[in-house]
Amino acid sequence: MTWKTLNTTMKLIVAGIFIVALLAVASAFHSWFADKPTISQSEYAPAKEIKKAIKIEHKKITVHAPIDVLDKDEAVKKLKINDPVKSDKNKQITTTAEIQPYDGKTSVISVLDTSTGMSEIIAKQEPLSFFGFENKKELGVRVGYSTDEFEMRSTVFGRWQFLRVGNFHLGVYGEANSRGEGIGQLEISYKF
């Protein structure tokens, strides 16, 4: 069978599979070479500066007010704060915050009220771009009973979502069950 002998429907299917495969490869390369997050689950680390703020000029001002800080020894113990903050006497903890999970980026700014010495962290979720490469992978197992023969069955499945356009997500899905049957599918989903 050659390209010339395929009917139009088959040519469209082959072209569609080629385009999806090309997008998957582009997403894989993007995920491989993209900046990795600097946040760790095991220790505190400096966060990346907001890109728009990098070119803003820094200047020193003198503050004539006591600064409200957390008890450092207690904060180090309870929050499990690591070096360099832990051992540097010049570094004080002025405020803390928890940021809710979000698929996009969240910009965070530390603000000091020089009249009171209190500081706070303010945060803003940056809107997602219309188009984005994702790299969301999932593996799983399902176990249960069938209704037709009331026998135990299991399914092993895998999913990789690699492209987002608006709220639509494109990926591939595959599964195999305990009867030896398997399936591979293109997956398009809408998340809201």
Side-chain angles (χ1 to χ4, degrees):
M1 186 179 300
T2 65
W3 183 256
K4 289 181 182 181
T5 61
L6 290 176
N7 64 31
T8 305
T9 304
M10 287 302 293
K11 286 181 181 178
L12 287 173
I13 291 171
V14 169
I17 290 171
F18 178 75
I19 290 170
V20 168
L22 192 62
L23 287 170
V25 168
S27 177
F29 274 107
H30 179 270
S31 296
W32 182 264
F33 292 108
D35 289 338
K36 304 293 184 237
T38 58
I39 307 300
S40 165
Q41 289 185 352
S42 60
E43 61 186 17
Y44 289 91
K48 281 184 168 181
E49 191 170 358
I50 299 171
K51 285 185 181 180
K52 292 178 184 176
I54 292 173
K55 294 182 181 178
I56 297 174
E57 180 184 349
H58 285 254
K59 61 182 183 178
K60 293 186 180 191
I61 63 168
T62 303
V63 178
H64 298 289
I67 306 298
D68 186 38
V69 298
L70 294 169
D71 181 290
K72 190 170 181 178
D73 292 333
E74 190 176 347
V76 164
K77 288 176 190 169
K78 286 187 176 179
L79 303 176
K80 298 179 174 72
I81 298 172
N82 53 297
D83 282 331
V85 175
K86 178 180 175 180
S87 61
D88 189 341
K89 293 182 186 200
N90 293 321
K91 294 189 178 181
Q92 296 296 320
I93 302 159
T94 58
T95 191
T96 66
E98 286 185 7
I99 308 296
Q100 297 296 320
Y102 175 60
D103 283 339
K105 293 181 180 179
T106 301
S107 295
V108 179
I109 300 171
S110 174
V111 179
L112 173 66
D113 183 336
T114 57
S115 66
T116 64
M118 298 290 293
S119 62
E120 67 178 329
I121 294 173
I122 57 175
K124 177 181 117 180
Q125 292 179 340
E126 301 296 342
L128 290 172
S129 62
F130 180 71
F131 176 87
F133 286 121
E134 299 182 312
N135 191 20
K136 296 182 179 178
K137 300 173 192 134
E138 178 182 5
L139 291 174
V141 177
R142 296 183 180 108
V143 178
Y145 285 91
S146 69
T147 57
D148 58 342
E149 298 174 12
F150 200 70
E151 66 179 359
M152 184 179 246
R153 295 197 187 154
S154 60
T155 304
V156 177
F157 67 92
R159 170 182 287 121
W160 177 37
Q161 292 182 331
F162 52 83
L163 180 68
R164 181 189 48 75
V165 179
N167 287 339
F168 288 94
H169 301 263
L170 178 67
V172 291
Y173 175 86
E175 69 178 44
N177 64 29
S178 55
R179 292 183 136 188
E181 302 164 334
I183 189 167
Q185 299 173 314
L186 177 65
E187 178 181 76
I188 299 174
S189 61
Y190 182 83
K191 294 184 181 176
F192 49 93

